[in-house]
């Protein structure tokens, strides 16, 4: 269990932690000289409340002592991320003070699950004053998330009440369920220093996943690759650390010389690295604010242990008034690492007061269309706390599919967790150049029905043609040239229908099984003659002039006929003077896909295609340029790749 103190300066937080653990957390010389906590302090205590000795198999409790002075709220915020319990310290002689109120508001905004109030310095006041402050604390907590928080009266220097508080903390620690070890490893750095003989050490709370000695990790947002040389979990040497533990990592790596870790950085599993400077969030403005949160006003964002300048824009509302809750986008002056559910605090630009807080919905918010109705509907789905429910709602409303990788990244899902989620929802995956799309079974079936209906209409309207090509189908389904997702779904739908025997794909066209283009007898007879001199197995057919000589036909007449047959999908015009049968084009495309699959980077060049096909250099250039034009492959400026 991780416990953090909170409360006004000089109310006895550090003294209380020392009484509970035996450790003076004021480690800095300036702190000891001034008698005031400036930065975070750390202590650990065995869970046994009476003997301060370890129970078998029990982890020690971790204590984070935070500064109480208003000038050090930034340091306080770095210490209360992802804690299990807050220990709000209130001095009996002063009662609740300004930082008591601000710290309490911060704890509520961060969603700290439990609070215990320590009423200290009770030996300095009369019993009536203790009773009065106790009532004031109850009134202060009433109606909020900590209304039922227990209050312990103490005189820490004399030891009065310390045993009872320690026992309560130990009982709470025993009852606390271990955090599930899910998601990629993420640690928010709150301290970074070097140790003689060891090198770079960083400490922080493990927010998700686990890490082991020897693991490769990334320093984020810099993207520096490092290795875990050793670690401590809950102040003990260990081979691994997991979510919910305080952790110290001994990091190694040649790139440490150019980017030293600092407070506010993250140590992550490599797959979790996706820094962003736009966060779509759920925002709660404090009711104590006098004015609405100004649009685009400069603010200070505290997330994890980081403090970053930010500007806020309300989404779906003109502004967020005091006490309001709503969606907003935070635009940051530098990228941060965040995932769904990460809690944060917003303070004014001068860092004088806390204004609002909330949690991250989408860590990669869009720059355009962020407040459009379709985006707000997506946010409503993304905000659902359960990942399975959120993805199900997104799938139900996304005719063109859901980007699966960004969703998994935002939810910090490992590959295995994402795969299990997709299996439970029967997600139909669609390859797309930007990453796989997901369709619900109902949406996938709707696409199949739409495509089959479009093909049937085409056959009825064009009985003399073999079938529509991709361009004709896109036009029939009103899919624009910039609709890359819909185009990808169409390709996948067509492939599925062909695989299931509901459509036949030949060359560039698709048609129903059994459909044949209705041709005049003269055209059918001439096409049969062409077939005799243009066998489908020939990858290097004669050019039009040669074919006219073989057929003893005028060149112009034959060219007009071949073009007409190509328009009907019965032939494919690969070059101005070269026609192929549709099944031959299928062979040419399959050869390109095979070459690409055999290469390390999934591509091929003209030389490789020439050698594999044996059709010669000039015809190779014509063929691969045709494959690019037809959308069967694409040219990236250097090499050719199959269309996803």
């Amino acid at each position: 269990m991780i416990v953090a103190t909170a409360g006004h300066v000089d109310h006895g937080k550090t003294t209380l932690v020392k009484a509970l653990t035996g450790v003076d957390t004021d480690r800095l010389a300036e702190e000891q000289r001034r008698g005031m906590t400036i930065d975070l302090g750390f202590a650990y205590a065995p869970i046994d409340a009476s003997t301060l000795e370890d129970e078998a198999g029990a982890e020690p409790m971790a204590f984070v002592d935070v500064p109480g002075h208003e000038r050090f709220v930034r340091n306080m915020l770095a210490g209360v991320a992802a804690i299990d319990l807050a220990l709000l310290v209130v001095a009996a002689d002063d009662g609740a003070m300004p930082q008591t109120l601000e710290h309490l508001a911060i704890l509520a905004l961060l969603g700290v699950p439990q609070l215990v109030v320590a009423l200290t310095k009770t030996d300095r006041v009369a019993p009536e004053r203790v009773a009065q402050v106790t009532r004031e604390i109850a009134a202060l907590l009433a109606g909020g998330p900590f209304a039922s928080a227990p209050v312990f009266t103490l005189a820490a220097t004399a030891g009065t009440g310390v045993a009872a508080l320690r026992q309560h903390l130990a009982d709470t620690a025993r009852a606390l369920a271990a955090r599930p070890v899910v998601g990629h490893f993420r640690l928010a750095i709150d301290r970074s220093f070097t140790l003689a003989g060891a090198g770079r050490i960083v400490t922080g709370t493990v927010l998700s996943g686990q890490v082991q000695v020897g693991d490769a990790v990334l320093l984020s947002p810099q993207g520096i690759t490092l290795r875990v040389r050793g670690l401590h979990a809950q102040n003990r040497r260990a081979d691994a650390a997991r979510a919910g533990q305080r952790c110290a990592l001994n990091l190694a790596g040649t790139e440490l010389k150019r980017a030293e870790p600092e407070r506010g950085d993250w140590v992550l599993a490599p797959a979790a690295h996706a820094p962003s400077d736009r966060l779509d969030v759920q925002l709660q403005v404090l009711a104590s604010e006098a004015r609405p949160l100004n649009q685009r006003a400069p603010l200070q964002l505290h997330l994890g242990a980081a403090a970053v300048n930010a500007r806020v824009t309300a989404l779906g509302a003109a502004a967020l008034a005091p006490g309001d809750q709503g969606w907003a986008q935070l635009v940051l002056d530098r990228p941060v690492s965040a995932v769904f559910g990460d809690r944060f605090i917003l303070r004014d630009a001068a860092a004088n007061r806390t204004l609002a807080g909330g949690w991250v919905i989408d860590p990669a918010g869009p720059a355009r269309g962020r407040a459009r109705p379709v985006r707000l509907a997506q946010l409503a789905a993304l905000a659902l706390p359960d990942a399975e429910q959120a993805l199900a709602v997104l799938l139900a409303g996304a005719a063109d599919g859901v980007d699966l990788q960004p969703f998994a990244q935002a939810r910090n899902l490992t590959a295995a967790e994402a795969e299990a989620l997709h299996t439970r929802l029967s997600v139909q995956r669609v390859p797309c150049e930007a990453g796989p799309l997901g369709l619900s079974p109902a949406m996938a079936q709707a696409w199949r029905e739409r495509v089959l209906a479009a093909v049937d209409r085409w056959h009825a309207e064009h009985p003399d043609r073999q079938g529509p090509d991709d361009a004709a189908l896109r036009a029939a389904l009103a899919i624009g040239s910039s609709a890359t997702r819909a185009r990808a779904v169409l390709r996948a739908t067509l492939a599925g229908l062909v695989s299931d025997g509901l459509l036949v794909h030949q060359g560039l066209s698709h048609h129903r099984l059994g459909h044949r283009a209705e041709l005049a007898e003269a055209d059918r007879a001439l096409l049969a003659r062409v077939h005799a001199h243009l066998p489908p197995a020939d990858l290097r057919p004669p050019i039009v002039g040669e074919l006219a000589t073989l057929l003893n036909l005028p060149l112009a007449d034959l060219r007009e006929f071949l073009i007409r047959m190509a328009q009907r999908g019965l032939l494919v015009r690969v070059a101005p003077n070269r026609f192929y049968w549709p099944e031959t084009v299928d062979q040419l495309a399959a050869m390109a896909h095979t070459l690409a699959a055999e290469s390390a980077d999934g591509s091929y060049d003209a030389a490789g295609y020439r050698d594999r096909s044996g059709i010669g250099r000039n015809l190779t250039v014509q063929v691969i340029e045709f494959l690019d034009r037809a959308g069967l492959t694409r040219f990236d400026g250097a090499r050719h790749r199959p269309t996803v």
Side-chain angles (χ1 to χ4, degrees), residues 217-227 253-260 266 268 273:
V217 293
L218 277 182
L219 178 65
S220 188
Q222 298 91 324
I224 302 300
T225 302
L226 302 170
R227 179 176 57 84
T254 56
E255 293 184 284
L256 273 175
K257 296 178 181 178
R258 70 179 180 90
E260 290 188 357
W266 293 77
L268 308 172
H273 175 64

Side-chain angles (χ1 to χ4, degrees), residues 285-586:
V285 182
L286 288 178
S288 57
E289 282 299 292
R291 296 185 300 274
L293 201 60
N294 290 334
Q295 297 278 50
R296 306 292 297 167
L299 301 170
Q300 192 176 85
L301 168 73
H302 296 265
L303 187 148
V308 183
N309 293 329
R311 292 181 182 272
V312 62
T313 298
L315 304 177
L320 291 173
D324 276 358
Q325 181 172 299
W327 296 320
Q329 184 172 96
L330 302 179
V331 181
L332 317 180
D333 69 348
R334 62 180 176 85
V336 298
S337 291
V339 300
F340 171 85
D342 280 354
R343 293 277 184 163
F344 63 86
I345 295 294
L346 286 176
R347 307 189 82 220
D348 68 315
N352 289 327
R353 71 185 195 281
T354 298
L355 308 177
W359 48 280
V360 175
I361 297 175
D362 186 351
R368 297 179 180 274
R370 57 191 175 187
R372 291 177 180 171
V374 64
R375 176 56 182 171
L376 297 181
Q378 289 176 347
L379 282 177
L382 290 169
L384 294 170
D386 180 70
E388 184 170 335
Q389 184 183 9
L391 183 55
V393 175
L394 286 172
L395 290 167
D400 297 345
V402 173
D403 291 307
L404 295 178
Q405 181 55 35
F407 181 85
Q409 191 84 51
R411 291 280 173 157
N412 192 32
L413 301 177
T414 65
E417 291 164 355
E419 180 67 28
L421 175 60
H422 300 161
T423 299
R424 291 196 299 273
L425 293 175
S426 300
V427 175
Q428 311 292 305
R429 273 168 283 201
V430 174
C432 187
E433 291 179 11
L437 301 172
L439 287 177
S440 69
M443 207 63 82
Q445 181 60 31
W447 268 94
R448 289 166 66 91
E449 293 171 0
R450 287 178 63 205
V451 170
L452 288 175
V455 173
D456 289 340
R457 286 195 304 272
W458 177 272
H459 286 333
E461 295 168 1
H462 307 281
D464 60 340
R465 300 190 179 190
Q466 187 70 8
D469 59 13
D470 287 1
L473 279 173
R474 289 195 298 269
L477 297 170
I479 298 174
S481 59
S482 61
T484 56
R485 293 154 59 96
R487 292 162 73 99
V489 175
L490 174 59
R491 285 193 298 269
T493 302
L494 288 169
L497 291 170
V498 170
S499 176
D500 293 342
L502 296 174
L503 287 181
V504 176
H505 172 67
Q506 283 187 307
L508 303 183
S509 65
H510 292 81
H511 63 84
R512 282 287 205 169
L513 189 66
H515 171 78
R516 293 185 64 188
E518 298 176 3
L519 296 179
E521 186 58 36
D523 285 344
R524 189 175 301 281
L526 182 52
L527 192 62
R529 291 181 62 197
V530 169
H531 189 276
H533 295 282
L534 196 68
D538 189 357
L539 299 183
R540 189 182 175 85
I543 60 175
V544 176
E546 295 171 348
L547 189 58
T549 301
L550 291 170
L551 295 171
N552 194 25
L553 290 173
L555 176 60
D557 292 349
L558 178 62
R559 187 186 302 277
E560 183 275 333
F561 172 78
L562 295 176
I563 291 174
R564 190 154 43 85
M565 292 301 102
Q567 290 171 343
R568 297 182 180 188
L570 299 171
L571 291 173
V572 180
R573 193 180 190 183
V574 170
N577 64 347
R578 191 95 60 170
F579 290 79
Y580 282 81
W581 293 101
E583 52 265 47
T584 312
V585 171
D586 292 340

Side-chain angles (χ1 to χ4, degrees), residues 117-171:
V117 180
L119 185 56
T120 60
K121 303 185 181 182
T122 57
D123 55 341
R124 301 186 184 184
V125 298
E128 294 78 12
R129 174 59 179 170
V130 173
Q132 177 189 355
V133 176
T134 302
R135 290 192 298 271
E136 291 174 354
I137 291 172
L140 183 63
L141 301 180
F146 308 124
S148 59
V151 179
F152 289 84
T153 57
L154 303 108
T157 52
T160 305
V162 173
L165 175 58
R166 188 189 296 131
Q167 182 66 57
H168 176 80
L169 295 176
D171 292 343

Side-chain angles (χ1 to χ4, degrees), residues 49-101:
S50 58
T51 66
L52 289 180
E53 295 179 357
D54 285 333
E55 290 183 2
E59 290 183 348
M61 291 184 288
F63 289 82
V64 182
D65 186 28
V66 308
H69 197 282
E70 63 179 350
R71 289 193 290 117
F72 303 114
V73 171
R74 174 175 176 173
N75 292 347
M76 177 267 183
L77 283 161
V80 295
I83 61 173
D84 299 302
L85 183 146
L87 189 57
L88 182 66
V89 180
V90 182
D93 50 358
D94 285 342
M97 297 289 282
Q99 293 315 122
T100 309
L101 304 180

